[in-house]
Amino acid sequence: MATKQTRWAALLAALALLFSACGDGEGGGGESSAASAACEVGQVDGDLALYNWAEYIDPEQLDAFGQEFGIGATMTEYDSNEAMLPVVSAGNSGYDVIIPSDYMVGIMIDGEFIQPLNFDAIPNASNISDDFANPSYDPNQSHSVPYQWGYTGLAVDTAVVGTDFPRTWDLVFGDSVPADAAGKVTLLNDPRETMGAALKALGYSLNTTDDAQLDEARNLVSGSKENVLRFDTDSADELLTSGESAIAHGYSGDMFTQFLETDDPSRYVFFVPEEGGTRWIDNMAIPFDAPHPCTAHTFINWLLDAEQGAALSNWNYYGTPNKAAIDLLDDELNEFLTDPSVLPGGLSSVESIADTGDFETNYTDAFTEAVG
Amino acid sequence: MVGSGRQLGGSRLVTAATEALTDPALEAAVATPEFELANIRQRKRRGLLIALPAYIYLLIFFAVPLITVIIYSFATRNRFGGADLNNWNIDSYRELGDDLIRTILLRSAGLAILTTIICLLISYPFAYYMATRSEKVRNLMLVFVMIPFWTNFLVRNYAWYVILGTDGPFSQFTEFIGFGPTRVLFTQVAVVLGLVYGFLPFMILPLYASIERIDGRLIEASRDLYANGWQAFRNVLWPLSLPGVVAGSILVFIPSLGAYVTPHILGGTKGTLLGSYIVTQFLTARNLPFGAAMSTVLMIIMLAATILYFRKGGRTL
């Protein structure tokens, strides 16, 4: 009957579609990694489409860029590197500039999903602080420039916990959680961050690929569960200031902006525990098939300007990699960034998350097992 | 389903049209077998044409994604958040035997069964009450059952988030009546509450449809024969309403098993559920093949339940 024929036709058409789609996707970037875009300083070749994390740039600053160069500037938001990756790698994403985190830059360079930058069009790259030059994930600094950086650590409500507490991971792991905070701890709903915190608490690297160490970390998280209110990434900051939680594992800038929205910001403190934590760097990069590469270069150069870099940090309250911008930061932000009590273990105690290849799934499973 | 239904309708239309045309000029030709054959062939072709939009819709939005998921479940994970489509294997299905997965599956199934039972216990008396009211009251009650659908599901879940939160209305209420403040948010209790709330209409509607159709005189007859209330329910009402019970239970069980939004918003520390675990595979572990394999298995479970539904409940509804 007709239905039988059409069923077969449908199946064949579906397979044909599928394989043609796979064929496109397989090569990943496709474009050769050798050449960077031939652009001049300040040249624009169309409207800017920025693909960025939520609340990471002042919309007015974005408008200001568009007005200065007489083009439109729009932004779309994503909430994780993993959500951004497939959108860009599939091609035809239409984005000119993306903001991948450290380890994701490495992945995207290897997959040829981002193009090499033409530094002739980015003279302001000289403003990048030496601490951020040639990072491990982009050793020649050829494909990315730093955007903002921050720490992952603990935020504490001193009205509940008091001010006399150890600045260590013991605050959230094991038996030493303050009685007032029992059941009011939030940890990030992120395998790498939360397993990483436990690994740090145990004195290991947060990029370990050792199963025994990961097992130990899993048991630590699992054994601390009764004190955990929730594993939450999106609203850890709001839960803290609304009183649902008393100790929150979270990102520095998120916490700090949230503190400032309350009546009494001094009630809350943020720090990276002594044993260490995560320092991450988000970067600007250009997708391999960006429709307006020159606009993208111009935008990157513009944001690396001292004034614009400072405006960026003064709005999102993350650290700036721009050494020329530091003098222009708000006093309270500068105080926070340079306060030694924020990083009691010193710079050597923090690590950046690196891609562990196939071991990544071990982290996810360990975390799922720990959560229960 | 939709396609073949449309096609039948289409054939009938075509028949009517050809009949109108054949009159009197072609009357002689009608008898010849060639004409008959040509006529049948033409009818089929037109039927297909009419059904084409439905077929294309099903192909693009159902068949292609489904086959993609199944094909990916046999692929190999790569670190770029994709899958290598040349190294075919069944490792992803082997991994499903892990203790972790079994725990998650059992927990999700347990929660879904609990949700279904609670929904049934609440809905049955309600549906019975509704079915035995006058038509005016009945329609009004139906509207009340539907009203929550006018608000987005996500928004309604966030409403529960506010209601159940610390110092929220629920906690204030329990404190006021002397039970002290309660912490329900971020517990399994909150998840079940949210699921029951969300899927209750899916239980009420088939139950109502099923009970409403029962001849009330049968229950009267059983009472006349000295059945007490329980016996009348157990031996008359319950067996007759069974198709509704099965249909409603499956309509609640299936979405509860794969629920993601409600556990994500209202759920707490303990208890990763199937829906969240699959999302984790795609968005965190970048393990597309494994996520696809889990989705495939979940779909097979749901397919089995749906077949059961059409065998037991669907036919009489």
Side-chain angles (χ1 to χ4, degrees):
Chain A
M1 251 198 74
T3 45
K4 207 167 199 177
Q5 285 167 14
T6 39
R7 250 182 240 151
W8 277 109
L11 192 67
L12 285 176
L15 289 173
L17 261 176
L18 184 70
F19 284 111
S20 65
C22 295
D24 290 345
E26 191 104 16
E31 301 288 316
S32 149
S33 58
S36 58
C39 299
E40 283 157 35
V41 180
Q43 185 187 341
V44 289
D45 52 2
D47 292 350
L48 174 80
L50 174 64
Y51 196 29
N52 197 355
W53 303 73
E55 296 186 15
Y56 217 7
I57 187 171
D58 186 350
E60 285 175 20
Q61 192 177 6
L62 199 59
D63 288 346
F65 170 74
Q67 273 162 19
E68 189 174 330
F69 290 89
I71 53 171
T74 53
M75 181 169 76
T76 311
E77 294 172 354
Y78 57 85
D79 57 9
S80 77
N81 285 299
E82 286 71 19
M84 176 271 292
L85 175 65
V87 173
V88 172
S89 66
N92 279 324
S93 62
Y95 297 117
D96 299 309
V97 177
I98 54 173
I99 314 290
S101 303
D102 28 44
Y103 70 99
M104 188 51 72
V105 170
I107 293 174
M108 295 187 92
I109 292 174
D110 290 349
E112 295 183 7
F113 302 134
I114 52 181
Q115 55 176 275
L117 299 177
N118 174 2
F119 280 89
D120 292 341
I122 313 175
N124 285 339
S126 61
N127 285 340
I128 298 170
S129 154
D130 294 341
D131 294 349
F132 296 90
N134 306 331
S136 58
Y137 50 84
D138 185 7
N140 306 318
Q141 192 131 63
S142 54
H143 288 68
S144 69
V145 293
Y147 177 78
Q148 293 290 83
W149 63 271
Y151 299 121
T152 311
L154 293 177
V156 172
D157 181 353
T158 57
V160 179
V161 183
T163 48
D164 184 30
F165 53 82
R167 297 205 163 203
T168 67
W169 285 112
D170 288 346
L171 268 178
V172 294
F173 292 131
D175 306 325
S176 47
V177 176
D180 298 324
K184 298 184 93 177
V185 171
T186 66
L187 296 177
L188 286 171
N189 184 20
D190 182 307
R192 289 303 306 270
E193 287 286 9
T194 295
M195 296 315 293
L199 284 165
K200 277 291 185 188
L202 294 164
Y204 303 130
S205 161
L206 54 74
N207 290 316
T208 188
T209 51
D210 180 328
D211 269 317
Q213 293 181 355
L214 192 61
D215 278 352
E216 234 180 289
R218 184 197 62 204
N219 292 338
L220 183 61
V221 174
S222 171
S224 313
K225 241 175 4 193
E226 60 268 34
N227 286 318
V228 174
L229 172 73
R230 185 170 154 89
F231 290 87
D232 196 312
T233 305
D234 308 334
S235 45
D237 48 352
E238 285 113 14
L239 288 172
L240 182 72
T241 54
S242 69
E244 294 274 351
S245 69
I247 301 176
H249 181 209
Y251 306 115
S252 51
D254 271 2
M255 289 301 173
F256 202 50
T257 38
Q258 187 70 23
F259 296 170
L260 290 175
E261 278 172 25
T262 64
D263 299 334
D264 179 18
S266 63
R267 176 176 155 181
Y268 304 95
V269 288
F270 177 89
F271 59 92
V272 180
E274 267 167 37
E275 304 96 316
T278 320
R279 182 175 87 148
W280 41 262
I281 304 164
D282 288 336
N283 304 271
M284 294 185 269
I286 306 178
F288 68 95
D289 62 348
H292 312 115
C294 291
T295 301
H297 278 88
T298 300
F299 179 68
I300 290 173
N301 189 50
W302 186 77
L303 264 190
L304 285 173
D305 171 68
E307 234 170 79
Q308 297 305 333
L312 188 66
S313 278
N314 286 334
W315 192 80
N316 67 24
Y317 269 87
Y318 282 102
T320 181
N322 187 333
K323 62 186 178 209
I326 288 175
D327 290 341
L328 302 171
L329 295 182
D330 285 352
D331 288 342
E332 43 190 1
L333 174 62
N334 222 351
E335 254 168 55
F336 172 73
L337 291 174
T338 52
D339 182 355
S341 70
V342 168
L343 195 59
L347 254 181
S348 60
S349 70
V350 289
E351 278 183 274
S352 293
I353 291 174
D355 180 39
T356 56
D358 285 340
F359 199 77
E360 234 23 51
T361 55
N362 297 35
Y363 274 97
T364 317
D365 283 349
F367 179 66
T368 310
E369 278 168 34
V371 169
Chain B
M1 245 171 58
V2 180
S4 60
R6 288 229 180 126
Q7 201 202 3
L8 280 179
S11 310
R12 239 176 271 134
L13 270 177
V14 175
T15 320
T18 25
E19 270 164 13
L21 277 175
T22 48
D23 233 28
L26 293 169
E27 207 165 349
V30 171
T32 68
E34 288 81 11
F35 184 83
E36 282 283 323
L37 265 176
N39 193 15
I40 289 170
R41 225 174 282 141
Q42 193 184 23
R43 228 190 282 170
K44 273 187 190 161
R45 217 176 299 135
R46 288 208 188 152
L48 178 64
L49 213 65
I50 289 170
L52 206 59
Y55 276 128
I56 291 174
Y57 178 88
L58 280 177
L59 178 71
I60 295 176
F61 295 109
F62 178 70
V64 174
L66 184 70
I67 293 169
T68 310
V69 169
I70 293 172
I71 289 178
Y72 266 76
S73 70
F74 294 103
T76 311
R77 174 189 188 271
N78 71 23
R79 58 192 286 256
F80 303 126
D84 290 331
L85 293 171
N86 42 28
N87 186 5
W88 306 106
N89 59 70
I90 56 163
D91 288 355
S92 299
Y93 288 92
R94 282 215 193 92
E95 277 176 54
L96 290 172
D98 271 13
D99 284 348
L100 174 63
I101 313 299
R102 200 174 315 137
T103 317
I104 292 174
L105 192 68
L106 286 178
R107 184 187 297 133
S108 296
L111 214 65
I113 290 171
L114 185 65
T115 304
T116 310
I117 291 173
I118 296 174
C119 275
L120 185 63
L121 289 177
I122 298 174
S123 302
Y124 202 97
F126 184 83
Y128 181 78
Y129 178 80
M130 198 156 80
T132 51
R133 293 308 101 179
S134 73
E135 192 161 342
K136 210 170 141 195
V137 177
R138 209 188 280 178
N139 289 338
L140 197 67
M141 290 178 83
L142 269 178
V143 171
F144 285 139
V145 173
M146 306 283 209
I147 281 178
F149 284 120
W150 298 351
T151 311
N152 183 288
F153 188 62
L154 189 68
V155 174
R156 285 187 281 141
N157 272 290
Y158 269 109
W160 278 110
Y161 179 94
V162 174
I163 292 169
L164 299 176
T166 306
D167 293 332
F170 183 78
S171 182
Q172 282 175 0
F173 174 73
T174 53
E175 200 168 0
F176 178 72
I177 59 170
F179 286 104
T182 43
R183 297 187 63 88
V184 179
L185 189 62
F186 306 149
T187 63
Q188 299 286 63
V189 177
V191 176
V192 174
L193 188 82
L195 289 175
V196 168
Y197 165 77
F199 299 133
L200 199 64
F202 295 116
M203 183 66 93
I204 292 177
L205 295 176
L207 271 178
Y208 164 75
S210 173
I211 294 174
E212 192 238 20
R213 214 169 301 166
I214 296 170
D215 190 342
R217 288 173 302 181
L218 290 171
I219 296 165
E220 281 167 25
S222 73
R223 298 303 293 260
D224 285 346
L225 294 166
Y226 297 104
N228 60 27
W230 166 250
Q231 284 168 323
F233 167 74
R234 180 69 195 81
N235 297 318
V236 182
L237 187 60
W238 176 258
L240 285 174
S241 62
L242 212 53
V245 173
V246 173
S249 300
I250 287 167
L251 286 181
V252 171
F253 180 79
I254 289 179
S256 304
L257 187 62
Y260 171 67
V261 172
T262 305
H264 185 72
I265 295 172
L266 302 175
T269 311
K270 288 136 202 152
T272 305
L273 296 176
L274 215 48
S276 337
Y277 190 67
I278 292 176
V279 171
T280 306
Q281 295 310 312
F282 285 104
L283 290 186
T284 310
R286 282 176 271 139
N287 195 352
L288 263 52
F290 189 50
M294 295 240 309
S295 305
T296 306
V297 169
L298 191 61
M299 277 189 284
I300 291 171
I301 295 173
M302 289 176 177
L303 184 71
T306 313
I307 291 171
L308 191 76
Y309 163 66
F310 279 113
R311 288 253 170 100
K312 292 268 165 134
R315 224 179 305 158
T316 49
L317 278 178

